[in-house]
Amino acid sequence: DVKVTQSSRYLVKRTGEKVFLECVQDMDHENMFWYRQDPGLGLRLIYFSYDVKMKEKGDIPEGYSVSREKKERFSLILESASTNQTSMYLCASSRPRGPQHFGDGTRLSIL
Amino acid sequence: GEDVEQSLFLSVREGDSSVINCTYTDSSSTYLYWYKQEPGAGLQLLTYIFSNMDMKQDQRLTVLLNKKDKHLSLRIADTQTGDSAIYFCAEIRMDSSYKLIFGSGTRLLVRP
């Protein structure tokens, strides 16, 4: 079974902090994705990556950056957290043109 | 447009069948997916269908695809209370990004 592991289920941070969300997959997938999910807005793609050190902006990249130094790990970085970044963050991985497999999500609260 | 559309809510009685509908826009989509999300959890891949198929059955799940109308449905037979969740359909973009475009999700409530 594909396993996508997000480092935290719940996280509370303060405005202005630099926040790191980590995601690891164990299936040697080339593609990795970060989404946020908000009530009434569905899933929105923040960033994705096709390969190590490659990154592409999704639909809402502002205020975020990513890092993919190793194939199995994709990190989402909130450079200076703001209250409007309080959300559920979901990581996914896939083979090229394959179905995406999701982690359990990180519920992030910015106070 | 890019919209994948679903109805927001469905309520059924335990033991009945549930049918969740979805319309999509990209006629070149090769795969269409159904995901399930339970409260506080991530999305679980339930099933998928290749665009040259009309139907796919997997135990209690039946997926029907009408390419002409760009209509996808998920039927759950003998619905159980454990099936209560949000169900998302998604299509894969066949441009260079291979992004998934998700619907807004249908909340299924199964009444005892």
Side-chain angles (χ1 to χ4, degrees), chain B residues 48-82:
Chain B
Y48 59 93
I49 189 167
F50 190 55
S51 60
N52 68 353
M53 300 168 67
D54 298 324
M55 185 182 87
K56 180 180 178 181
Q57 187 152 2
D58 183 1
Q59 298 183 333
R60 292 191 297 121
L61 304 179
T62 303
V63 179
L64 295 178
L65 176 60
N66 180 330
K67 277 197 77 173
K68 175 175 167 291
D69 295 336
K70 298 192 184 71
H71 183 265
L72 182 72
S73 68
L74 174 70
R75 179 177 180 269
I76 305 173
D78 186 25
T79 314
Q80 303 296 307
T81 54

Side-chain angles (χ1 to χ4, degrees), chain B residues 96-111:
Chain B
S96 59
S97 70
Y98 299 115
K99 291 194 301 186
L100 280 187
I101 308 299
F102 287 89
S104 54
T106 299
R107 183 178 295 274
L108 173 64
L109 175 66
V110 182
R111 308 185 308 275

Side-chain angles (χ1 to χ4, degrees), chain B residues 19-35:
Chain B
V19 179
I20 302 171
N21 294 304
C22 171
T23 57
Y24 62 98
T25 56
D26 188 355
S27 57
S28 64
S29 290
T30 54
Y31 286 99
L32 295 137
Y33 301 95
W34 283 103
Y35 286 86

Side-chain angles (χ1 to χ4, degrees), chain A residues 46-59:
Chain A
I46 305 171
Y47 266 98
F48 57 105
S49 168
Y50 291 132
D51 202 349
V52 177
K53 297 192 188 297
M54 302 288 288
K55 60 184 179 185
E56 297 279 345
K57 291 180 180 178
D59 300 318

Side-chain angles (χ1 to χ4, degrees), chain A residues 9-10 33 35 37 42-43 45 48 50 58-59 88 90 97-105 107, chain B residues 2 31 33 35 37 40-45 48 86 88 92 94 96-100 102-104:
Chain A
R9 290 298 304 275
Y10 301 94
F33 306 83
Y35 295 87
Q37 184 179 25
L43 279 94
L45 182 63
F48 57 105
Y50 291 132
D59 300 318
M88 174 73 139
L90 293 165
R97 286 169 277 174
Q100 291 181 24
H101 298 270
F102 284 80
D104 287 335
R107 189 166 292 282
Chain B
E2 276 203 348
Y31 286 99
Y33 301 95
Y35 286 86
Q37 186 179 33
L43 274 70
Q44 172 196 353
L45 178 65
Y48 59 93
I86 301 175
F88 293 91
I92 191 165
M94 294 312 292
S96 59
S97 70
Y98 299 115
K99 291 194 301 186
L100 280 187
F102 287 89
S104 54

